[in-house]
Amino acid sequence: DPFIADPERDPRLKTLTARPRNAETPSEGLSPFLTPTPLFYVRNHMWVPPVEPNEHSLTITLPSGDEKTYTLEDLKSRFRTHTVTATLQCSGNRRADMTRAVPDKGTNGLQWEAGAISCAEWTGVKLRDVLADAGLDLASPGPDAKHAQFEGAEAYGASIPLSKVLDSQGDVLLAFGMNGAPLPADHGFPLRVIVPGNVAARSVKWLKKITVSDEESTTQWQRRDYKCFGPNVAKPDWSKAPSIQEMPVTSAITGIQRPEAGGKVNVEGYAYSGGGREIVRVDVSIDAGKTWAQAELMGDEGKGSKSWWWKRWRFEIPDEGDEGGEVLVKATDESYNTQPEDYRGIWNQRGNLSCAWHGVHVGPGE
Ligand code: MTE
Ligand code: MO
């Protein structure tokens, strides 16, 4: 049984598949700034690999062929420790919205609602510090040093451009801590890479090996799955589209509360953009998008060089009338990128980057 090392899971997680474990964060877990660890969404392509922390090691290979191996103890004792707040979001978050919007075509993949996203404080050492120790010249790494490839202990792998690692404000971590405790088994114990601002698929769990290379990781997760093609492309030439790295701006409604009978309806949710682009505005409409009003942004501050974390927001519906209706949300990031209105222009067969305006029905008495 390859799933023998899979841990017990919190029953409040919304399970999509049990083996491998894929489960989204319930709305109660989407409400706090830092997602309680047991409610952090889980996306496993395979099993949780059994690991013996004292035997776990990380091997780094440079383009020169030089190789260096680090134990966990080496990483913890020899490098400065940093804590970074980062939201992880799956490329398929909100895929179910895209499927519902284009029912004749549907989408392939796990049908996530708005809970394939969570936020945590990650503690570890900077990958750039470790690469320098392994012998990479950070100032002039050479023409063959273009990508950092990551391999997990089960077989999963992915890569990111090396420039993200070399950026002194990139905050790429080799993390052993999550929300002040050791990483749990589902989230990569004992070591994972955290790539803040990039699609979570690049934050490889159960990290065993890093290769600095002139090419991207050759896995399907780098070369195929996380790409978007136009609706007319039935047989994509995978090499013709870049792998998803930074994600576009998105938002969602995650809770609706009526404090007391007859009281006003409060709507709350999150907004997030990739690349450390801060969310600067969230707008809500209660008339199908004809008019919009700005929601209140919560003042949460995370740790890190850029805004790697989501923004929580809330909005009080002024007068919902008797019929209720659809509440819509859209967000704007610091580059003034905003979300598309609907799925007509962004539908893709894999259902990646499902980020149109999010709507939830609010009815009387709800
Ligand atoms: N790393 C390994 N080793 N195996 C995996 O299946 N899944 C990736 C990424 N890293 C994966 C992995 C994907 S697609 C996502 S969305 C995130 O891990 C999910 O991280 P989480 O389970 O900690 O929420
Ligand atoms: Mo993912």
Side-chain angles (χ1 to χ4, degrees), residues 62-95:
L62 300 181
S64 61
D66 286 357
E67 214 169 78
K68 200 158 172 181
T69 296
Y70 298 88
T71 64
L72 272 182
E73 204 35 54
D74 292 336
L75 294 176
K76 288 182 182 170
S77 62
R78 298 196 28 222
F79 300 93
R80 203 181 132 200
T81 295
H82 299 263
T83 294
V84 169
T85 310
T87 292
L88 294 190
Q89 178 179 225
C90 184
S91 71
N93 190 35
R94 299 188 53 207
R95 181 179 282 129

mmCIF file of all heavy atoms in Angstrom, residues 62-95:
data_model
loop_
_atom_site.group_PDB
_atom_site.id
_atom_site.type_symbol
_atom_site.label_atom_id
_atom_site.label_comp_id
_atom_site.label_asym_id
_atom_site.label_seq_id
_atom_site.Cartn_x
_atom_site.Cartn_y
_atom_site.Cartn_z
ATOM 1 N N LEU A 62 25.053 21.562 -9.358
ATOM 2 C CA LEU A 62 25.259 22.801 -10.119
ATOM 3 C C LEU A 62 25.608 22.466 -11.572
ATOM 4 O O LEU A 62 25.989 21.325 -11.870
ATOM 5 C CB LEU A 62 26.393 23.606 -9.475
ATOM 6 C CG LEU A 62 26.150 24.016 -8.016
ATOM 7 C CD1 LEU A 62 27.342 24.824 -7.492
ATOM 8 C CD2 LEU A 62 24.856 24.820 -7.879
ATOM 9 N N PRO A 63 25.496 23.456 -12.488
ATOM 10 C CA PRO A 63 25.822 23.186 -13.898
ATOM 11 C C PRO A 63 27.258 22.675 -14.077
ATOM 12 O O PRO A 63 27.542 21.913 -15.001
ATOM 13 C CB PRO A 63 25.652 24.543 -14.580
ATOM 14 C CG PRO A 63 24.736 25.308 -13.699
ATOM 15 C CD PRO A 63 24.985 24.826 -12.299
ATOM 16 N N SER A 64 28.158 23.049 -13.196
ATOM 17 C CA SER A 64 29.550 22.573 -13.278
ATOM 18 C C SER A 64 29.666 21.080 -12.996
ATOM 19 O O SER A 64 30.710 20.475 -13.228
ATOM 20 C CB SER A 64 30.393 23.323 -12.243
ATOM 21 O OG SER A 64 29.886 23.041 -10.936
ATOM 22 N N GLY A 65 28.576 20.489 -12.472
ATOM 23 C CA GLY A 65 28.631 19.096 -12.063
ATOM 24 C C GLY A 65 28.920 18.949 -10.581
ATOM 25 O O GLY A 65 28.785 17.864 -10.016
ATOM 26 N N ASP A 66 29.324 20.035 -9.947
ATOM 27 C CA ASP A 66 29.586 19.989 -8.500
ATOM 28 C C ASP A 66 28.308 19.630 -7.748
ATOM 29 O O ASP A 66 27.231 20.106 -8.082
ATOM 30 C CB ASP A 66 30.084 21.358 -7.994
ATOM 31 C CG ASP A 66 31.516 21.624 -8.414
ATOM 32 O OD1 ASP A 66 32.122 20.725 -9.033
ATOM 33 O OD2 ASP A 66 32.013 22.737 -8.137
ATOM 34 N N GLU A 67 28.467 18.813 -6.730
ATOM 35 C CA GLU A 67 27.317 18.338 -5.977
ATOM 36 C C GLU A 67 27.601 18.494 -4.497
ATOM 37 O O GLU A 67 28.729 18.256 -4.073
ATOM 38 C CB GLU A 67 27.112 16.854 -6.301
ATOM 39 C CG GLU A 67 25.664 16.445 -6.316
ATOM 40 C CD GLU A 67 25.498 15.049 -6.898
ATOM 41 O OE1 GLU A 67 25.769 14.079 -6.172
ATOM 42 O OE2 GLU A 67 25.116 14.959 -8.077
ATOM 43 N N LYS A 68 26.586 18.889 -3.735
ATOM 44 C CA LYS A 68 26.766 18.983 -2.297
ATOM 45 C C LYS A 68 25.492 18.508 -1.611
ATOM 46 O O LYS A 68 24.389 18.802 -2.093
ATOM 47 C CB LYS A 68 27.070 20.435 -1.909
ATOM 48 C CG LYS A 68 27.739 20.558 -0.562
ATOM 49 C CD LYS A 68 28.503 21.866 -0.431
ATOM 50 C CE LYS A 68 29.000 22.044 0.992
ATOM 51 N NZ LYS A 68 29.734 23.294 1.187
ATOM 52 N N THR A 69 25.661 17.768 -0.523
ATOM 53 C CA THR A 69 24.506 17.214 0.186
ATOM 54 C C THR A 69 24.414 17.823 1.581
ATOM 55 O O THR A 69 25.426 17.985 2.262
ATOM 56 C CB THR A 69 24.610 15.678 0.250
ATOM 57 O OG1 THR A 69 24.549 15.183 -1.094
ATOM 58 C CG2 THR A 69 23.469 15.060 1.031
ATOM 59 N N TYR A 70 23.187 18.180 1.971
ATOM 60 C CA TYR A 70 22.938 18.798 3.272
ATOM 61 C C TYR A 70 21.945 17.951 4.054
ATOM 62 O O TYR A 70 20.908 17.554 3.516
ATOM 63 C CB TYR A 70 22.326 20.194 3.088
ATOM 64 C CG TYR A 70 23.224 21.164 2.356
ATOM 65 C CD1 TYR A 70 23.202 21.235 0.964
ATOM 66 C CD2 TYR A 70 24.088 22.001 3.056
ATOM 67 C CE1 TYR A 70 24.024 22.122 0.285
ATOM 68 C CE2 TYR A 70 24.916 22.888 2.384
ATOM 69 C CZ TYR A 70 24.888 22.944 1.007
ATOM 70 O OH TYR A 70 25.697 23.825 0.335
ATOM 71 N N THR A 71 22.239 17.730 5.320
ATOM 72 C CA THR A 71 21.226 17.146 6.202
ATOM 73 C C THR A 71 20.340 18.289 6.682
ATOM 74 O O THR A 71 20.680 19.468 6.531
ATOM 75 C CB THR A 71 21.869 16.468 7.425
ATOM 76 O OG1 THR A 71 22.529 17.494 8.191
ATOM 77 C CG2 THR A 71 22.883 15.397 7.016
ATOM 78 N N LEU A 72 19.220 17.929 7.283
ATOM 79 C CA LEU A 72 18.344 18.947 7.857
ATOM 80 C C LEU A 72 19.088 19.769 8.898
ATOM 81 O O LEU A 72 18.936 20.984 8.994
ATOM 82 C CB LEU A 72 17.157 18.282 8.552
ATOM 83 C CG LEU A 72 15.929 17.971 7.729
ATOM 84 C CD1 LEU A 72 14.887 17.357 8.640
ATOM 85 C CD2 LEU A 72 15.405 19.240 7.082
ATOM 86 N N GLU A 73 19.891 19.068 9.682
ATOM 87 C CA GLU A 73 20.658 19.719 10.730
ATOM 88 C C GLU A 73 21.625 20.743 10.126
ATOM 89 O O GLU A 73 21.788 21.844 10.657
ATOM 90 C CB GLU A 73 21.404 18.649 11.541
ATOM 91 C CG GLU A 73 21.767 19.038 12.952
ATOM 92 C CD GLU A 73 20.752 19.924 13.653
ATOM 93 O OE1 GLU A 73 19.560 19.556 13.707
ATOM 94 O OE2 GLU A 73 21.163 21.010 14.149
ATOM 95 N N ASP A 74 22.268 20.388 9.013
ATOM 96 C CA ASP A 74 23.164 21.337 8.319
ATOM 97 C C ASP A 74 22.396 22.611 7.970
ATOM 98 O O ASP A 74 22.864 23.727 8.204
ATOM 99 C CB ASP A 74 23.671 20.757 6.989
ATOM 100 C CG ASP A 74 24.623 19.582 7.178
ATOM 101 O OD1 ASP A 74 25.238 19.489 8.256
ATOM 102 O OD2 ASP A 74 24.727 18.770 6.226
ATOM 103 N N LEU A 75 21.209 22.423 7.373
ATOM 104 C CA LEU A 75 20.442 23.596 6.930
ATOM 105 C C LEU A 75 20.062 24.468 8.122
ATOM 106 O O LEU A 75 20.197 25.687 8.083
ATOM 107 C CB LEU A 75 19.184 23.157 6.176
ATOM 108 C CG LEU A 75 19.421 22.429 4.844
ATOM 109 C CD1 LEU A 75 18.094 21.966 4.259
ATOM 110 C CD2 LEU A 75 20.150 23.335 3.845
ATOM 111 N N LYS A 76 19.609 23.807 9.195
ATOM 112 C CA LYS A 76 19.133 24.567 10.360
ATOM 113 C C LYS A 76 20.271 25.265 11.089
ATOM 114 O O LYS A 76 20.103 26.366 11.612
ATOM 115 C CB LYS A 76 18.407 23.637 11.336
ATOM 116 C CG LYS A 76 17.052 23.181 10.812
ATOM 117 C CD LYS A 76 16.373 22.293 11.846
ATOM 118 C CE LYS A 76 15.034 21.801 11.309
ATOM 119 N NZ LYS A 76 14.427 20.759 12.128
ATOM 120 N N SER A 77 21.433 24.631 11.147
ATOM 121 C CA SER A 77 22.502 25.191 11.987
ATOM 122 C C SER A 77 23.442 26.116 11.217
ATOM 123 O O SER A 77 24.054 26.995 11.805
ATOM 124 C CB SER A 77 23.298 24.057 12.642
ATOM 125 O OG SER A 77 23.909 23.262 11.633
ATOM 126 N N ARG A 78 23.568 25.950 9.927
ATOM 127 C CA ARG A 78 24.608 26.694 9.211
ATOM 128 C C ARG A 78 24.124 27.936 8.492
ATOM 129 O O ARG A 78 24.920 28.720 7.983
ATOM 130 C CB ARG A 78 25.312 25.757 8.218
ATOM 131 C CG ARG A 78 26.022 24.599 8.934
ATOM 132 C CD ARG A 78 27.013 23.901 8.047
ATOM 133 N NE ARG A 78 27.546 24.797 7.048
ATOM 134 C CZ ARG A 78 27.746 24.467 5.777
ATOM 135 N NH1 ARG A 78 27.461 23.259 5.355
ATOM 136 N NH2 ARG A 78 28.239 25.342 4.929
ATOM 137 N N PHE A 79 22.775 28.109 8.387
ATOM 138 C CA PHE A 79 22.262 29.255 7.637
ATOM 139 C C PHE A 79 21.306 30.066 8.494
ATOM 140 O O PHE A 79 20.704 29.531 9.424
ATOM 141 C CB PHE A 79 21.543 28.773 6.362
ATOM 142 C CG PHE A 79 22.441 27.995 5.447
ATOM 143 C CD1 PHE A 79 22.512 26.610 5.534
ATOM 144 C CD2 PHE A 79 23.251 28.652 4.526
ATOM 145 C CE1 PHE A 79 23.362 25.888 4.702
ATOM 146 C CE2 PHE A 79 24.100 27.935 3.694
ATOM 147 C CZ PHE A 79 24.152 26.552 3.782
ATOM 148 N N ARG A 80 21.186 31.347 8.135
ATOM 149 C CA ARG A 80 20.257 32.199 8.873
ATOM 150 C C ARG A 80 18.817 31.777 8.571
ATOM 151 O O ARG A 80 18.461 31.489 7.430
ATOM 152 C CB ARG A 80 20.475 33.662 8.456
ATOM 153 C CG ARG A 80 20.005 34.634 9.513
ATOM 154 C CD ARG A 80 20.196 36.075 9.082
ATOM 155 N NE ARG A 80 18.952 36.773 9.348
ATOM 156 C CZ ARG A 80 18.581 37.900 8.790
ATOM 157 N NH1 ARG A 80 19.365 38.507 7.916
ATOM 158 N NH2 ARG A 80 17.440 38.458 9.100
ATOM 159 N N THR A 81 18.007 31.758 9.610
ATOM 160 C CA THR A 81 16.606 31.356 9.465
ATOM 161 C C THR A 81 15.739 32.569 9.153
ATOM 162 O O THR A 81 15.973 33.657 9.690
ATOM 163 C CB THR A 81 16.141 30.697 10.781
ATOM 164 O OG1 THR A 81 16.897 29.502 10.959
ATOM 165 C CG2 THR A 81 14.678 30.336 10.763
ATOM 166 N N HIS A 82 14.771 32.408 8.257
ATOM 167 C CA HIS A 82 13.839 33.483 7.899
ATOM 168 C C HIS A 82 12.408 32.964 7.988
ATOM 169 O O HIS A 82 12.162 31.787 7.761
ATOM 170 C CB HIS A 82 14.067 33.947 6.451
ATOM 171 C CG HIS A 82 15.430 34.501 6.205
ATOM 172 N ND1 HIS A 82 15.697 35.855 6.230
ATOM 173 C CD2 HIS A 82 16.607 33.893 5.937
ATOM 174 C CE1 HIS A 82 16.980 36.046 5.983
ATOM 175 N NE2 HIS A 82 17.558 34.881 5.804
ATOM 176 N N THR A 83 11.489 33.873 8.286
ATOM 177 C CA THR A 83 10.068 33.525 8.262
ATOM 178 C C THR A 83 9.370 34.407 7.234
ATOM 179 O O THR A 83 9.563 35.624 7.221
ATOM 180 C CB THR A 83 9.438 33.689 9.655
ATOM 181 O OG1 THR A 83 10.038 32.723 10.526
ATOM 182 C CG2 THR A 83 7.940 33.445 9.631
ATOM 183 N N VAL A 84 8.614 33.783 6.358
ATOM 184 C CA VAL A 84 7.925 34.480 5.270
ATOM 185 C C VAL A 84 6.457 34.061 5.275
ATOM 186 O O VAL A 84 6.156 32.877 5.421
ATOM 187 C CB VAL A 84 8.579 34.119 3.906
ATOM 188 C CG1 VAL A 84 7.743 34.601 2.742
ATOM 189 C CG2 VAL A 84 10.002 34.679 3.836
ATOM 190 N N THR A 85 5.575 35.028 5.137
ATOM 191 C CA THR A 85 4.142 34.729 5.015
ATOM 192 C C THR A 85 3.824 34.555 3.537
ATOM 193 O O THR A 85 4.129 35.443 2.736
ATOM 194 C CB THR A 85 3.297 35.894 5.574
ATOM 195 O OG1 THR A 85 3.784 36.242 6.861
ATOM 196 C CG2 THR A 85 1.829 35.511 5.665
ATOM 197 N N ALA A 86 3.258 33.433 3.166
ATOM 198 C CA ALA A 86 2.921 33.226 1.753
ATOM 199 C C ALA A 86 1.612 32.463 1.611
ATOM 200 O O ALA A 86 1.382 31.471 2.304
ATOM 201 C CB ALA A 86 4.033 32.475 1.021
ATOM 202 N N THR A 87 0.781 32.971 0.718
ATOM 203 C CA THR A 87 -0.421 32.263 0.301
ATOM 204 C C THR A 87 -0.017 31.268 -0.772
ATOM 205 O O THR A 87 0.712 31.623 -1.700
ATOM 206 C CB THR A 87 -1.446 33.276 -0.245
ATOM 207 O OG1 THR A 87 -1.897 34.095 0.838
ATOM 208 C CG2 THR A 87 -2.639 32.587 -0.894
ATOM 209 N N LEU A 88 -0.460 30.034 -0.647
ATOM 210 C CA LEU A 88 -0.294 29.049 -1.729
ATOM 211 C C LEU A 88 -1.646 28.875 -2.398
ATOM 212 O O LEU A 88 -2.667 28.714 -1.720
ATOM 213 C CB LEU A 88 0.169 27.693 -1.188
ATOM 214 C CG LEU A 88 1.554 27.593 -0.556
ATOM 215 C CD1 LEU A 88 1.906 26.125 -0.307
ATOM 216 C CD2 LEU A 88 2.620 28.258 -1.403
ATOM 217 N N GLN A 89 -1.627 28.921 -3.728
ATOM 218 C CA GLN A 89 -2.865 28.708 -4.468
ATOM 219 C C GLN A 89 -2.599 27.709 -5.596
ATOM 220 O O GLN A 89 -1.648 27.864 -6.361
ATOM 221 C CB GLN A 89 -3.381 30.023 -5.064
ATOM 222 C CG GLN A 89 -4.649 29.830 -5.882
ATOM 223 C CD GLN A 89 -5.218 31.116 -6.465
ATOM 224 O OE1 GLN A 89 -6.403 31.351 -6.412
ATOM 225 N NE2 GLN A 89 -4.366 31.948 -7.029
ATOM 226 N N CYS A 90 -3.450 26.713 -5.701
ATOM 227 C CA CYS A 90 -3.372 25.746 -6.788
ATOM 228 C C CYS A 90 -3.829 26.410 -8.083
ATOM 229 O O CYS A 90 -4.746 27.242 -8.068
ATOM 230 C CB CYS A 90 -4.263 24.551 -6.457
ATOM 231 S SG CYS A 90 -4.153 23.241 -7.683
ATOM 232 N N SER A 91 -3.218 26.009 -9.210
ATOM 233 C CA SER A 91 -3.610 26.578 -10.504
ATOM 234 C C SER A 91 -5.065 26.251 -10.829
ATOM 235 O O SER A 91 -5.674 26.893 -11.659
ATOM 236 C CB SER A 91 -2.730 26.031 -11.616
ATOM 237 O OG SER A 91 -3.060 24.683 -11.833
ATOM 238 N N GLY A 92 -5.617 25.231 -10.159
ATOM 239 C CA GLY A 92 -6.996 24.824 -10.418
ATOM 240 C C GLY A 92 -7.992 25.407 -9.435
ATOM 241 O O GLY A 92 -9.181 25.047 -9.484
ATOM 242 N N ASN A 93 -7.551 26.303 -8.556
ATOM 243 C CA ASN A 93 -8.507 26.904 -7.626
ATOM 244 C C ASN A 93 -9.656 27.527 -8.417
ATOM 245 O O ASN A 93 -9.428 28.191 -9.429
ATOM 246 C CB ASN A 93 -7.806 27.981 -6.774
ATOM 247 C CG ASN A 93 -8.682 28.474 -5.627
ATOM 248 O OD1 ASN A 93 -9.458 27.695 -5.046
ATOM 249 N ND2 ASN A 93 -8.593 29.761 -5.295
ATOM 250 N N ARG A 94 -10.889 27.297 -7.960
ATOM 251 C CA ARG A 94 -12.116 27.815 -8.596
ATOM 252 C C ARG A 94 -12.392 27.184 -9.966
ATOM 253 O O ARG A 94 -13.195 27.713 -10.750
ATOM 254 C CB ARG A 94 -12.074 29.348 -8.711
ATOM 255 C CG ARG A 94 -11.978 30.074 -7.369
ATOM 256 C CD ARG A 94 -12.139 31.574 -7.531
ATOM 257 N NE ARG A 94 -13.352 31.858 -8.258
ATOM 258 C CZ ARG A 94 -13.546 32.951 -9.000
ATOM 259 N NH1 ARG A 94 -12.619 33.878 -9.067
ATOM 260 N NH2 ARG A 94 -14.660 33.127 -9.655
ATOM 261 N N ARG A 95 -11.756 26.043 -10.262
ATOM 262 C CA ARG A 95 -12.010 25.395 -11.561
ATOM 263 C C ARG A 95 -13.503 25.084 -11.747
ATOM 264 O O ARG A 95 -14.036 25.165 -12.860
ATOM 265 C CB ARG A 95 -11.191 24.102 -11.660
ATOM 266 C CG ARG A 95 -11.377 23.372 -12.978
ATOM 267 C CD ARG A 95 -10.523 22.112 -13.035
ATOM 268 N NE ARG A 95 -9.132 22.388 -13.329
ATOM 269 C CZ ARG A 95 -8.095 21.925 -12.626
ATOM 270 N NH1 ARG A 95 -8.300 21.151 -11.576
ATOM 271 N NH2 ARG A 95 -6.864 22.220 -12.961
#
